[in-house]
Amino acid sequence: MKKASFIFILIFLSPLMELSRYPIFYSIDEPFLYAVVEVLTAFIILMAIILYLYHSILSKKMIDVFHNNHFNLRLVAIGIELLILAVSFVLLTAKPHDSFQTHLSNLIGYTDPRLQLLCIIAGLTLTPIVIELFFRDLIQSYLKDHFSAKYAILFSSVIFGISHSLFNIISLIYYILAGILLGKSREESNGIIAPIIFHCSWDVLILLMLWIY
């Protein structure tokens, strides 16, 4: 019963990890600084929640996942697979010849260039840390303690996909596949640094593709 309760809590919390990227409570009538403060506050709160869950669920120190990370050729292959996945994702989901501003509006949901820039900066710095610690370490490690590594990667990737895109089947499939590759990088590297780097690379590649496309 306790195992099921923890899994339910993690699933319920998973969509909230995006709050470190989007200032959803910000109004355009307010000073822009409020949006920055909201994103930073969300990041601090989410990190505090993750730290608490680490202690409650995993009973280990979060700092340990940043130590003894391994890097090998298999990670290079995973990086190439993520590159191909990101390119094909944009080709399938974005309309060609639209302006970069339009692409950003569709991707981020804001038309204000300042909010778009804030989301991009947060998405390349704060959000990968929060999301990878939550999905690739907290959820994946917890599931791995009770099931096989393959099941842990698959289940955490499904949660990852649903939390990012529930109503678009193409996006859902792509985010699940991206989650699987990120989960594999977590296992291959024995740490969280590689998944964070790959997550940042995924976002950068999508932005570049939208700019070129």
Side-chain angles (χ1 to χ4, degrees), residues 31 90 119 185:
V90 173
C119 291
S185 72

Side-chain angles (χ1 to χ4, degrees), residues 1-187:
M1 182 65 183
K2 187 176 181 181
K3 184 196 305 182
S5 298
F6 277 142
I7 293 175
F8 176 78
I9 290 171
L10 293 174
I11 293 174
F12 175 77
L13 290 174
S14 60
L16 300 181
M17 298 302 115
E18 287 294 322
L19 292 178
S20 60
R21 186 199 309 257
Y22 300 111
I24 60 174
F25 299 111
Y26 170 74
S27 171
I28 57 174
D29 298 327
E30 299 173 332
F32 178 68
L33 180 61
Y34 288 10
V36 177
V37 171
E38 181 184 328
V39 168
L40 292 175
T41 302
F43 174 75
I44 294 171
I45 292 174
L46 290 172
M47 287 298 293
I49 291 173
I50 292 173
L51 279 169
Y52 173 77
L53 292 175
Y54 258 82
H55 177 73
S56 301
I57 297 178
L58 299 182
S59 300
K60 70 176 185 179
K61 296 179 180 179
M62 189 174 67
I63 194 66
D64 291 341
V65 295
F66 292 94
H67 296 153
N68 300 319
N69 285 237
H70 308 314
F71 300 93
N72 51 44
L73 289 178
R74 177 55 189 153
L75 289 176
V76 175
I78 291 174
I80 294 173
E81 291 169 345
L82 272 171
L83 167 64
I84 296 172
L85 198 65
V87 171
S88 61
F89 174 65
V90 173
L91 292 177
L92 277 177
T93 58
K95 294 180 180 179
H97 310 306
D98 279 349
S99 67
F100 183 57
Q101 189 72 21
T102 301
H103 284 314
L104 285 180
S105 299
N106 294 334
L107 178 67
I108 297 175
Y110 298 116
T111 56
D112 188 332
R114 298 178 304 169
L115 289 178
Q116 291 175 347
L117 181 60
L118 175 62
C119 291
I120 290 173
I121 293 174
L124 297 178
T125 55
L126 307 179
T127 309
I129 297 173
V130 169
I131 288 181
E132 293 310 313
L133 283 172
F134 186 80
F135 286 98
R136 247 59 65 183
D137 201 53
L138 192 60
I139 295 181
Q140 189 168 312
S141 296
Y142 177 71
L143 291 173
K144 189 179 175 182
D145 288 341
H146 298 88
F147 307 100
S148 68
K150 290 183 178 180
Y151 179 84
I153 292 173
L154 179 61
F155 190 75
S156 62
S157 299
V158 171
I159 300 174
F160 176 72
I162 292 174
S163 69
H164 279 74
S165 181
L166 178 59
F167 303 106
N168 186 313
I169 187 62
I170 295 178
S171 296
L172 175 63
I173 292 172
Y174 267 91
Y175 276 111
I176 290 175
L177 292 175
I180 290 173
L181 291 174
L182 290 168
K184 287 182 177 180
S185 72
R186 166 69 178 90
E187 294 300 313

